[in-house]
Amino acid sequence: MADPSGPRDRKTTVLKRVRCEKPWDTFVLPVSAFPVPKAELTPIREFVSELASKIASTRKLASEVFIQFAQLHHEDGPTRLSDHGREWMPTTGLAVWPDREPPTLWTIDELTNVLPGETVRPMMNVVFRLMGPIPARENARDTMMGLGTIIEIMIQGSADEFLAAAHAVLYPPLKEPSLKSFPFYVPLLEAKSFANARAEQLATWLCGAKAYIRESVEDKGILIASDQPLEPLLANVDIRD
């Protein structure tokens, strides 16, 4: 068995299965850390790029790519984004956990009771939607992969339809006026979101999306989910339960 915490080549890619209700098929590709060490990153980037391409092409899905701001500070993340801003065309929105309490602003108590060495909780999860053409979005995914920033959501139909569905699901629970002024909202999910929910709930949370790929700090890996079986698209992969 391959060691998921060490360097891997294409023949030893390890996926950990996430038990969830069918038709959802969900895995985590473990990484040793975010940012992903360079020796580990190349085969991971190649694997994710190839799998995303297979999912999109076999199912005729369109891909929406987002950058999670919370992890953008790693290494030269801001420079990578600014260097490609003209071609990627980022616009700012909010990612929301549909299976958590809605985000809130910091309270005075939270700010005054922070001890030395502690950090306050994340107030919100800003994301950048990449509005450039498909090749630019694919380039962005490959360029930013490894920092912990990427979300790729694959959809049928138009982006406007997906974003409207996401707004209908994610906007109503928000209470803070300052969090209700973003131009779009997208779902933020982790492995336990898929493990703990019914299939119908997952479909609602994903707002009609058919596949979801996210660099997930919470899972120490890359979350990969689809509402159709993924195993036919996987080759040379060690799947662990």
Side-chain angles (χ1 to χ4, degrees):
M1 289 290 185
D3 177 3
S5 65
R8 34 167 97 74
D9 58 35
R10 293 175 65 81
K11 295 183 179 180
T12 58
T13 298
V14 175
L15 292 181
K16 293 172 61 179
R17 188 186 302 275
V18 177
R19 294 292 178 182
C20 59
E21 279 198 3
K22 298 300 180 185
W24 293 95
D25 202 15
T26 306
F27 299 89
V28 171
L29 171 58
V31 301
S32 61
F34 284 113
V36 179
K38 290 183 179 179
E40 189 179 344
L41 178 58
T42 297
I44 289 174
R45 182 190 289 121
E46 292 176 354
F47 173 82
V48 173
S49 177
E50 183 175 325
L51 180 60
S53 177
K54 286 180 179 178
I55 294 172
S57 62
T58 58
R59 299 186 58 188
K60 296 180 172 56
L61 302 178
S63 182
E64 292 288 325
V65 177
F66 304 86
I67 293 174
Q68 302 171 85
F69 178 80
Q71 303 301 316
L72 186 61
H73 64 280
H74 288 305
E75 296 182 348
D76 62 341
T79 301
R80 296 186 203 181
L81 179 59
S82 62
D83 285 350
H84 295 275
R86 181 171 295 182
E87 58 189 288
W88 294 352
M89 300 172 60
T91 185
T92 305
L94 189 67
V96 179
W97 297 98
D99 56 342
R100 298 186 187 183
E101 290 297 315
T104 59
L105 303 180
W106 294 313
T107 66
I108 295 298
D109 284 345
E110 284 181 292
L111 296 176
T112 57
N113 292 327
V114 176
L115 298 175
E118 291 184 341
T119 57
V120 293
R121 63 172 174 81
M123 183 172 62
M124 57 182 164
N125 292 283
V126 171
V127 291
F128 300 110
R129 179 189 175 203
L130 305 184
M131 302 286 288
I134 291 175
R137 296 177 219 167
E138 293 174 346
N139 172 258
R141 179 196 60 219
D142 295 344
T143 300
M144 302 301 293
M145 179 69 65
L147 299 180
T149 63
I150 288 298
I151 303 174
E152 184 167 7
I153 301 177
M154 298 187 185
I155 60 175
Q156 286 179 333
S158 71
D160 287 344
E161 290 171 333
F162 166 72
L163 293 175
H167 188 280
V169 171
L170 303 171
Y171 181 85
L174 299 175
K175 305 301 181 185
E176 304 280 2
S178 62
L179 303 182
K180 301 179 75 170
S181 60
F182 286 88
F184 68 88
Y185 299 84
V186 294
L188 200 57
L189 299 168
E190 58 189 319
K192 69 180 181 181
S193 307
F194 288 87
N196 295 337
R198 302 297 299 269
E200 296 83 358
Q201 186 67 72
L202 289 170
T204 298
W205 289 346
L206 283 157
C207 311
K210 301 300 182 181
Y212 185 89
I213 298 172
R214 173 178 174 249
E215 290 189 288
S216 174
V217 172
E218 296 78 13
D219 298 313
K220 297 181 180 179
I222 300 168
L223 177 67
I224 304 167
S226 168
D227 71 349
Q228 289 189 13
L230 286 167
E231 287 195 44
L233 304 180
L234 302 174
N236 300 319
V237 174
D238 178 6
I239 296 176
R240 301 184 180 182
D241 293 318

